[in-house]
Amino acid sequence: MTDTAPSAPPCEALAHLKTALRKNRRHAHHRYFQLASVTAEGYPRNRTVVFRGFATDDQTLLVITDSRSDKVAEFAQNGAAEIAWYFTETREQFRIRAVTSCISGSTGSTEDAALREQVWRQLSDAARAQFFWRSPGLALGAGTTLVTTEAVPETFALLKLSPVAIDHLVLSKVQTRRHSQLIDKHWHEQWINP
Ligand SMILES: Cc1cc2nc3c(=O)[nH]c(=O)nc-3n(C[C@H](O)[C@H](O)[C@H](O)COP(=O)(O)O)c2cc1C
């Protein structure tokens, strides 16, 4: 059974991910990964997003998005997500299955609201401005722009991605692949054929 508890003890694969982030930091790509959701029709839907760091538990990955975007509706209906992340310097791929929760203006605990506010305050003006644009995904020019405010806009959503399984593939001379899964609040790790 797959566990969804975000407060599980540390996973070795996550430690490797943090090492990969450090070793690949001179490449801009280390901040981007592909994030897949499932549409209402059951199709996979993939997109590139910026990694915004870990939450205070040091395990949950953070992504920002527009609360009006399709992915938010998709994750509301089905919280299952998959991240695909390739690091060119160290030639390793992480595929992370995660359970998603979305913190927007009207949702989340006090702690989540504070985290959302903190991430908003760290954004550049250019990044913030996008949240006052017309609704993403509508026909060009459709929808209305929002009045720019100092307060965090309703359109600003923080996605929390809580890993429940990690497939770590290393493409060195000897290829290795390890599967980690969170079962009953413990990470179980197994080497598998690449
Ligand atoms: C390099 C790059 C970084 C991006 N970062 C984000 C991001 O952090 N958050 C986001 O919502 N969209 C980001 N996007 C846009 C998404 O890939 C996607 O086009 C958009 O979010 C709409 O997706 P949706 O309709 O599936 O919700 C990024 C795109 C690129 C190319």
Side-chain angles (χ1 to χ4, degrees), residues 32 45 47-50 52 63-66 69-71:
Y32 306 114
R45 183 83 163 136
R47 77 281 290 161
T48 306
V49 291
V50 178
R52 298 281 171 182
V63 167
I64 62 166
T65 196
D66 193 306
S69 66
D70 288 348
K71 70 181 86 48

Side-chain angles (χ1 to χ4, degrees), residues 54-159:
F54 291 95
T56 44
D57 65 1
D58 222 20
Q59 300 189 43
T60 303
L61 295 98
L62 301 176
V63 167
I64 62 166
T65 196
D66 193 306
S67 62
R68 302 165 295 178
S69 66
D70 288 348
K71 70 181 86 48
V72 170
E74 287 158 8
F75 286 132
Q77 189 172 63
N78 181 348
E82 187 169 81
I83 291 167
W85 210 345
Y86 179 60
F87 295 91
T88 56
E89 179 82 24
T90 50
R91 300 178 64 217
E92 55 192 323
Q93 169 185 266
F94 292 84
R95 280 193 301 178
I96 305 173
R97 186 180 303 161
V99 172
T100 307
S101 57
C102 178
I103 313 168
S104 59
S106 47
T107 57
S109 61
T110 316
E111 194 187 326
D112 280 348
L115 181 61
R116 174 172 170 266
E117 172 102 22
Q118 183 192 328
V119 175
W120 172 259
R121 298 284 162 223
Q122 287 165 351
L123 294 183
S124 65
D125 287 346
R128 282 188 205 166
Q130 299 176 50
F131 293 90
F132 300 97
W133 292 355
R134 296 176 200 274
S135 283
L138 296 186
L140 188 65
T144 49
T145 53
L146 305 182
V147 177
T148 310
T149 56
E150 271 303 302
V152 188
E154 283 283 325
T155 50
F156 179 68
L158 185 64
L159 294 177

